[in-house]
Amino acid sequence: MQQYDGLIIGGGAAGLMCAAVAGQRGKRMLVLEHTKKVGKKILMSGGGRCNFTNYQVEPSHFISKNPHFCVSALKRYTPYDFLSLVQKHDLAFHEKTLGQLFCDRSSKDILSILLAECEAAGVDIRTQCDVESIEYQAEQQDTRFQLSTSTGRVAAPSLVVATGGLSIPTMGATGFGYQVAGQFGLKVERREASLVPFTLSGDLLELAQSLAGVAVPVSVSCGDARFREAMLFTHKGLSGPAMLQISNYWQPGESIEVDFLPDVAIADCLAQWRTEGRKGELKNALAQLLPKRFVQAWLEHHSSVRSLGSTTLANLSKADTEALGQVLHRWTLVPAGTEGYRTAEVTRGGVSTDEVSSKTFEAKSVPGLYFIGEVLDVTGWLGGYNFQWAWASGHCAAQYL
C-alpha cells in the first residue's frame, strides 16, 4: 500500500490546483482521475479558449443555500492571485465583455500551467484510475484514509473530494463525490442542471425552430434576478448567455420575462418616427432595431399584433403601441424544461456547506476529509466565476492538508 500526505479524487480545475499548492508546501500528493485525461472540462470551456476567471468577482455572483460560505475563500485567493500564476507562465490572455478573461491561444495553456505546477511540486497523477472503496480509520493518523483503486491500494491522512458535478457526462462527470459524502453521513443539497439552455413545447417550440440561429440582445428576468446578454433561438428552445445565466435562478414551472429592446422604449421610438414624418410600414421600421427575420416571425406569432406588420407608422393607434410594447418588452413564457446535464455547464446544489468549514474546506464531522470546487453547493454565474471558485477553494484547502 503506497502512502501519501494527501489523496485527491478528481483531476479537474479544483483538484489540480489543490494538488499543486499542497505539493509546493512539501506534501506528497496523489491525484486520482477516472478518465483518460485530466482537465477535460478545462479544455472544452470557453469555446476552447477557457474563460479562466473574471476581473469582477463578488460573492453575489454565486448561488448557495449559505450565500456567505464563499466569501472567505474568494477574499483569500482572488482573480489577481490567479493572474499572477498566469503571468508567471507568460500566458497571453485577453478580456472580453463584463470582465471575462480568456486565453489568446487555447484552453490547453491553462491545463499546461496546472500540470507544470504539479510536476514542479512532485505531484503524482494517475489517470484511468477508479476508486473502488474508501476505508476510514480515525485512530490511524498517517493512514486515516485507505483507498482501494483499480491501480492498487493507497493511503493518506487527508482525502480531498474534487469530483465536480453531474454536468456533461460525456466528459466523465459522475455523482461519485456525492456518494462519498453519503458514505460519511454528510447532507447533500438537491442537484439540478444549471447554466443550461431551456427547452420549449407546442407553438413556442415551433416559433423557436423557425428562428433557430437568430441571436438578439435582451434583458431577461426570473424573480429578482435579471441579466442583459444575448439570447439565441435553437431547434430545442432558447439558449445564449442570457438564458444560461437566468437558468441558475429558474425552477420548473416558473415563468421568465424577456425584453427584446432593453435600451429603447418602443412607444417613444414610434412617436419619434412619426414626428420625423416617416411613412413606412411597421415591419420595415422595426427591422432597424431587430433582425428582420425575427420581426416577421414575431409579429406573425402574436395575434395581438399579427395585423400590424403592414400598417404604416402614421396609422398605429395607442392600443397598437401598447400591444407592441407587451410582446417586445414584456414577453412572458414558461419553459418546458432544460436540456439537462447533457449540455449544462455546471450543477446547482451539491454537498451542503453546513457540513464543511468555509476556512479549511474540511468536513466538520470527519477529520481529514475535504470537499472543493463544484461538488459543493456553490454555483457561479457564467463568465469565469466557477473557475475562480475552483482555484480559490482548491488553493485554500491546500493550506490545511
Side-chain angles (χ1 to χ4, degrees):
M1 184 165 59
Q2 289 183 282
Q3 189 167 342
Y4 291 84
D5 294 319
L7 306 173
I8 298 178
I9 304 177
L16 293 175
M17 170 62 86
C18 185
V21 175
Q24 290 161 9
R25 295 183 57 245
K27 303 293 183 179
R28 190 177 177 219
M29 303 297 297
L30 171 64
V31 175
L32 304 171
E33 169 58 44
H34 75 103
T35 67
K36 292 181 179 180
K37 294 180 180 179
V38 295
K40 280 190 172 184
K41 285 186 75 173
I42 296 174
L43 294 175
M44 59 81 66
S45 68
R49 293 286 182 89
C50 189
N51 180 191
F52 57 84
T53 191
N54 194 300
Y55 278 132
Q56 303 163 17
V57 173
E58 299 290 343
S60 59
H61 296 136
F62 297 84
I63 301 164
S64 172
K65 278 206 169 180
N66 178 2
H68 303 291
F69 180 84
C70 65
V71 173
S72 175
L74 294 175
K75 283 184 176 179
R76 285 182 287 153
Y77 193 81
T78 71
Y80 294 95
D81 291 315
F82 191 74
L83 282 175
S84 294
L85 179 61
V86 163
Q87 290 161 350
K88 170 186 169 184
H89 289 265
D90 296 321
L91 182 143
F93 65 92
H94 59 278
E95 178 183 359
K96 285 192 177 179
T97 57
L98 306 173
Q100 301 171 34
L101 301 182
F102 289 78
C103 301
D104 278 1
R105 217 171 55 84
S106 167
S107 301
K108 293 178 181 178
D109 294 337
I110 292 293
L111 181 56
S112 294
I113 287 174
L114 295 171
L115 292 176
E117 291 288 308
C118 284
E119 183 178 5
V123 174
D124 287 345
I125 298 176
R126 294 187 192 176
T127 56
Q128 293 183 281
C129 178
D130 293 317
V131 176
E132 297 164 348
S133 67
I134 300 173
E135 300 171 31
Y136 180 69
Q137 300 176 355
E139 68 280 0
Q140 296 184 24
Q141 293 297 312
D142 289 343
T143 57
R144 182 185 286 153
F145 292 92
Q146 298 180 17
L147 276 60
S148 293
T149 80
S150 56
T151 62
R153 285 179 60 81
V154 292
S158 298
L159 175 65
V160 181
V161 180
T163 50
L166 298 168
S167 55
I168 316 183
T170 55
M171 293 286 104
T174 72
F176 187 74
Y178 311 128
Q179 295 174 30
V180 176
Q183 177 181 336
F184 289 95
L186 306 184
K187 181 172 66 173
V188 178
E189 304 291 356
R190 176 181 173 181
R191 287 137 288 159
E192 297 167 301
S194 205
L195 295 184
V196 61
F198 289 111
T199 57
L200 301 176
S201 61
D203 61 344
L204 287 179
L205 177 59
E206 291 178 10
L207 175 64
Q209 290 174 337
S210 73
L211 288 170
V214 173
V216 185
V218 302
S219 173
V220 59
S221 61
C222 180
D224 295 331
R226 181 179 295 273
F227 293 93
R228 289 188 58 171
E229 293 259 20
M231 185 183 87
L232 174 70
F233 290 95
T234 74
H235 287 289
K236 294 183 178 180
L238 302 173
S239 188
M243 293 298 112
L244 299 190
Q245 293 281 37
I246 210 67
S247 73
N248 260 358
Y249 295 87
W250 180 80
Q251 293 291 340
E254 290 183 340
S255 64
I256 61 175
E257 185 175 285
V258 181
D259 183 350
F260 290 96
L261 294 170
D263 295 318
V264 177
I266 190 61
D268 292 344
C269 196
L270 291 172
Q272 181 180 340
W273 286 341
R274 284 194 291 266
T275 300
E276 295 171 353
R278 298 197 190 184
K279 302 182 184 299
E281 295 180 344
L282 174 66
K283 61 186 178 184
N284 295 326
L286 289 178
Q288 298 174 41
L289 303 174
L290 294 159
K292 183 177 181 180
R293 186 174 154 206
F294 169 82
V295 171
Q296 292 175 334
W298 207 247
L299 294 178
E300 179 62 29
H301 175 77
H302 294 90
S303 59
S304 61
V305 294
R306 187 171 296 148
S307 63
L308 298 183
S310 57
T311 303
T312 61
L313 296 176
N315 288 331
L316 289 171
S317 68
K318 182 178 179 182
D320 293 337
T321 301
E322 290 176 353
L324 279 170
Q326 184 67 38
V327 300
L328 290 176
H329 289 304
R330 297 179 298 279
W331 183 51
T332 303
L333 73 152
V334 177
T338 73
E339 291 189 12
Y341 291 115
R342 182 182 65 83
T343 57
E345 297 203 11
V346 293
T347 302
R348 182 173 61 198
V351 177
S352 173
T353 54
D354 293 341
E355 305 279 10
V356 179
S357 165
S358 62
K359 178 181 179 181
T360 66
F361 291 86
E362 186 175 24
K364 296 174 182 178
S365 60
V366 188
L369 180 63
Y370 297 77
F371 291 86
I372 59 174
E374 189 185 346
V375 72
L376 286 164
D377 175 32
V378 176
T379 305
W381 289 5
L382 187 74
Y385 300 101
N386 288 293
F387 272 124
Q388 185 57 36
W389 175 244
W391 315 138
S393 59
H395 187 278
C396 292
Q399 310 302 318
Y400 299 94
L401 299 182

